[in-house]
Each structure stands twice: as structure tokens, then as C-alpha cells.
Amino acid sequence: MNRLPVVVLISGTGSNLAALLASARGEDCPYDVVAVIADRDAAGLEHARAAAIPTQIVSLSAHPDRAAWDQALTAAVAAYNPHLVVLAGFMKLVGPPLLDAFGGRIINTHPALLPSFPGAHGVRDALAHGVKVTGCSVIEVDAGVDTGKILAQTAVEILDEDTEETLHERIKAVEQPLLVEVVRRLTAAR
């Protein structure tokens, strides 16, 4: 099977990246993670290094302005000629250069059932609003904040005893397999 190249962008511990890498070890997997790029020295880079996958840090602070960073990030991703770009806990908005180069081929996860609770605090916002069900979404990235086409969602019940931390952990438990399923589907469809 000819596997399609995927570049993963991260900012944190890389739990979604780890799930993608575990899936990629399967013989029937339609993709390979060919590079992992972070916007900081993220702990999740260790998952890639342990799998001998190239890593790179493209830090905003290393560039004179946001436009220069956007260009550098786009160049770093483009160097691997990916079929798909996966934002897996990447905590920066991507700019026009990346969207222009890979539009329709960038996906992201979000810890809420979009269009409800977009932005950086989806879990906290769901708890604050007192909803009984939240979940996770995988979307196609566009120029807005969590406004892209919804590709898949999974619901998670909010328990009375949930804190932001416990709810987020339960969301991650369903987010990881959902992300893997979407990446497999998008790369298998070619």
C-alpha cells in the first residue's frame, strides 16, 4: 500500500500524536506521519523522536512578526509535501499562507461539539454553561476560529462531579480514536 504523507502540528503533550503514531504502525494504515512540527519545545515531540520521525520547532518568538512566522511555518510544512496537515493540540491559529497552500487538507480537533463553545476554552465554557452533553469535533480548518466544516463528532456526557480536568481527560479518550478514524478515512479516500 502506498501510504500518504501526513504532517502533524503540536503545542503540548502530544496525546493525539501518540494515537496517530500507534495507528500508523498497523500494516493496513493508509498514512505515514512524516514530520512533527511544534510552535515551542513541546513534550509531545518526544513521541516523534522515539519513532525516528523528523521534528522541528517553528517558534513565533524567533520571527520578527506574525507574518514572518506564518511564512516560516508554511515553508516547514511544505518541505514534507503532505497530503494532509493535522493540528493535534496546536494552540496557534494558522495564517493565510498555510491555508492557501493546504486549504481543504488541514484538520483540527476541538474539545466541544461545535458550533457550540469554540475557542481555547471549550471544556471550561461547556461546564460554565451547565450543559449536560459536550464532546469533541474534528473539523476542516478555515480562516475562522473553529468555524470549519465538521468532519466528525463524538458526544461525552457531563457528570455532576466533573471538573474541567476530569471532563477534558474523558473528552481526550474519545477524541484520539475519532481523530485517527478521520485521518484514516481522509487518506484512504485519496
Side-chain angles (χ1 to χ4, degrees):
M1 175 189 302
N2 189 16
R3 293 179 177 219
L4 294 178
V6 171
V7 171
V8 180
L9 277 57
I10 67 168
S11 294
T13 61
S15 58
N16 282 333
L17 169 62
L20 290 167
L21 292 174
S23 174
R25 288 192 286 272
E27 284 185 30
D28 65 336
C29 188
Y31 68 86
D32 272 324
V33 176
V34 296
V36 177
I37 300 170
D39 65 327
R40 60 191 75 165
D41 188 15
L45 291 170
E46 290 308 314
H47 295 294
R49 292 175 183 138
I53 294 169
T55 63
Q56 187 173 348
I57 297 171
V58 182
S59 169
L60 183 57
S61 64
H63 295 86
D65 56 31
R66 178 63 193 241
W69 178 80
D70 284 333
Q71 291 290 350
L73 181 64
T74 302
V77 171
Y80 295 97
N81 195 27
H83 175 77
L84 189 65
V85 179
V86 178
L87 310 185
F90 190 65
M91 298 307 292
K92 293 265 191 301
L93 296 176
V94 297
L98 194 70
L99 291 170
D100 291 346
F102 299 100
R105 296 187 291 139
I106 307 170
I107 66 170
N108 191 19
T109 61
H110 183 72
L113 293 174
L114 293 171
S116 297
F117 313 118
H121 305 290
V123 177
R124 181 184 315 160
D125 294 345
L127 285 169
H129 281 79
V131 296
K132 298 300 178 192
V133 176
T134 188
C136 62
S137 304
V138 178
I139 63 169
E140 184 179 298
V141 176
D142 65 11
V145 177
D146 298 324
T147 57
K149 176 182 171 186
I150 296 169
L151 302 174
Q153 293 181 309
T154 299
V156 174
E157 182 181 1
I158 297 178
L159 306 176
D160 290 341
E161 64 272 15
D162 266 328
T163 64
E164 185 176 349
E165 294 75 27
T166 62
L167 179 57
H168 204 179
E169 286 306 309
R170 290 190 310 104
I171 290 171
K172 285 181 186 178
V174 298
E175 180 180 63
Q176 293 161 10
L178 185 66
L179 177 61
V180 167
E181 183 273 321
V182 170
V183 171
R184 288 179 75 101
R185 178 168 33 98
L186 293 176
T187 53
R190 298 182 191 266

